[in-house]
Amino acid sequence: MKFTKMHGIGNDYVYVNCFEETVSNPSAVAKFVSDRHFGIGSDGLILIKPSDVADCEMDMYNLDGSQGAMCGNGIRCVAKYAYDYGIVNKTNISVATKSGIKYLDLTLGDDGKVSLVKVNMGAPILTSRQIPVVSTKEQVIDEPLNVDGTTYHITAVSMGNPHAIVYMDDLKDLDIEKIGPKFENHIAFPDRINTEFVKVIDRHTLQMRVWERGSGETLACGTGACAVAVASTLNGLVDEDQPVTVKLLGGDLQILWNRQENLVYMTGPATTVFDGEIDVSFLEK
Ligand SMILES: N[C@H](CCC[C@H](N)C(=O)O)C(=O)O
């Protein structure tokens, strides 16, 4: 199987061009290629597929083989791959996902390849079916959640995939390896949850770490950064209708929630690391 290793500010995936390749058991392939010792090493697997409704389709799998509904860092890399490898020859493209069709604007670097991508991530979903939390423009009803004996106040926001946002005074001492799985597998989240731990730097800047459903701590989470910007607006912690810089371990993302449109825009880089080939025939169904 031919693949391309790419990342969005350190949130790295193995990408397969399914216009040319067939992957019969993506969940098993995701688990194998993601292993940083026995495989390639990544946060998961992303298949770039033909689509009848968009320029291509993104089919995303976490490191544990679970299928994700949307991936913000991943879709920027899908767009870069599609342009750089000739699947599209335009800089405004559409990508079908399990959370609907997304529209992207590509910026080219001096080498004529995609360097930066702006994604219309769609509208945030504020009524979580996992948690009876309804966030309205006037008020965010934080859900007190008992996790491992401690009560946390979370804000639930979905960007097509579920996120729980927790605000903290400092992230340095966060034992994310301990608390992350407790959130991920909490009884309140029947589909599990992505959890973002956020420190407010100022009214335009947030710092976050993330424990991703199905992948553990990643260096960045695009949908998570969007969910954090939305939650922080609703909680009155950042200025409304202003760009927010979300600082993640792997780099920064620019997020804008246009309240009139009720659309969230994410802008960030996409990077190709290397092309390769790996035998996965032993995993075929
Ligand atoms: N773990 C996520 C999918 C990947 C999201 C993240 N890598 C991003 O960039 O949005 C989930 O299961 O919902």
Side-chain angles (χ1 to χ4, degrees):
M1 176 185 82
K2 290 194 175 106
F3 69 86
T4 298
K5 185 75 188 322
M6 305 178 80
H7 71 84
I9 55 171
N11 188 200
D12 61 330
Y13 292 91
V14 170
Y15 291 77
V16 180
N17 179 349
C18 291
F19 286 74
E20 296 171 4
E21 302 277 338
T22 302
V23 179
S24 63
N25 193 352
S27 181
V29 171
K31 283 187 274 190
F32 168 57
V33 300
S34 299
D35 190 296
R36 295 195 188 276
H37 300 286
F38 298 101
I40 299 165
S42 67
D43 290 329
L45 170 74
I46 293 185
L47 307 182
I48 303 170
K49 296 177 168 178
S51 168
D52 296 335
V53 297
D55 293 310
C56 63
E57 178 186 341
M58 174 177 75
D59 187 13
M60 184 267 163
Y61 296 82
N62 292 304
L63 172 153
D64 69 352
S66 61
Q67 190 173 28
M70 182 48 199
C71 183
N73 288 312
I75 202 169
R76 295 199 315 275
C77 291
V78 165
K80 172 174 175 63
Y81 183 98
Y83 184 90
D84 292 359
Y85 287 76
I87 292 174
V88 299
N89 59 4
K90 53 187 179 177
T91 55
N92 299 93
I93 73 167
S94 56
V95 177
T97 77
K98 301 223 171 313
S99 297
I101 299 174
K102 308 299 178 186
Y103 296 90
L104 304 91
D105 298 333
L106 315 182
T107 299
L108 308 184
D110 296 340
D111 61 359
K113 295 185 177 180
V114 174
S115 56
L116 199 67
V117 182
K118 177 179 178 181
V119 189
N120 175 346
M121 296 288 283
I125 301 160
L126 301 179
T127 305
S128 159
R129 64 188 172 81
Q130 279 103 347
I131 321 167
V133 174
V134 175
S135 304
T136 62
K137 184 164 182 174
E138 290 69 39
Q139 179 188 1
V140 179
I141 304 165
D142 275 8
E143 177 74 7
L145 195 72
N146 186 306
V147 181
D148 204 28
T150 302
T151 297
Y152 293 83
H153 282 263
I154 67 165
T155 302
V157 177
S158 171
M159 292 305 299
N161 59 351
H163 297 268
I165 290 97
V166 181
Y167 292 96
M168 298 184 147
D169 294 335
D170 210 324
L171 301 179
K172 275 203 300 292
D173 301 329
L174 173 65
D175 187 354
I176 201 166
E177 296 286 341
K178 177 173 184 282
I179 196 67
K182 303 280 188 190
F183 273 91
E184 177 183 4
N185 300 296
H186 194 284
I187 194 169
F189 310 121
D191 295 333
R192 299 188 294 166
I193 196 93
N194 300 289
T195 308
E196 286 78 21
F197 302 92
V198 180
K199 176 182 178 181
V200 180
I201 305 299
D202 60 36
R203 294 195 62 81
H204 299 283
T205 315
L206 302 166
Q207 182 186 6
M208 76 172 243
R209 288 178 67 184
V210 58
W211 183 268
E212 279 200 30
R213 170 177 66 173
S215 292
E217 180 167 30
T218 60
L219 296 186
C221 179
T223 51
C226 293
V228 161
V230 169
S232 302
T233 304
L234 291 170
N235 283 289
L237 300 170
V238 296
D239 291 343
E240 185 156 323
D241 272 329
Q242 294 294 318
V244 173
T245 298
V246 180
K247 306 184 77 63
L248 302 106
L249 292 178
D252 296 356
L253 290 174
Q254 300 302 321
I255 313 293
L256 173 65
W257 180 21
N258 181 316
R259 296 302 301 270
Q260 280 59 48
E261 295 176 325
N262 193 28
L263 294 174
V264 180
Y265 296 92
M266 169 189 64
T267 303
T271 308
T272 299
V273 184
F274 67 94
D275 293 307
E277 193 158 3
I278 188 168
D279 177 19
V280 295
S281 57
F282 67 100
L283 292 170
E284 278 168 12
K285 277 182 180 169

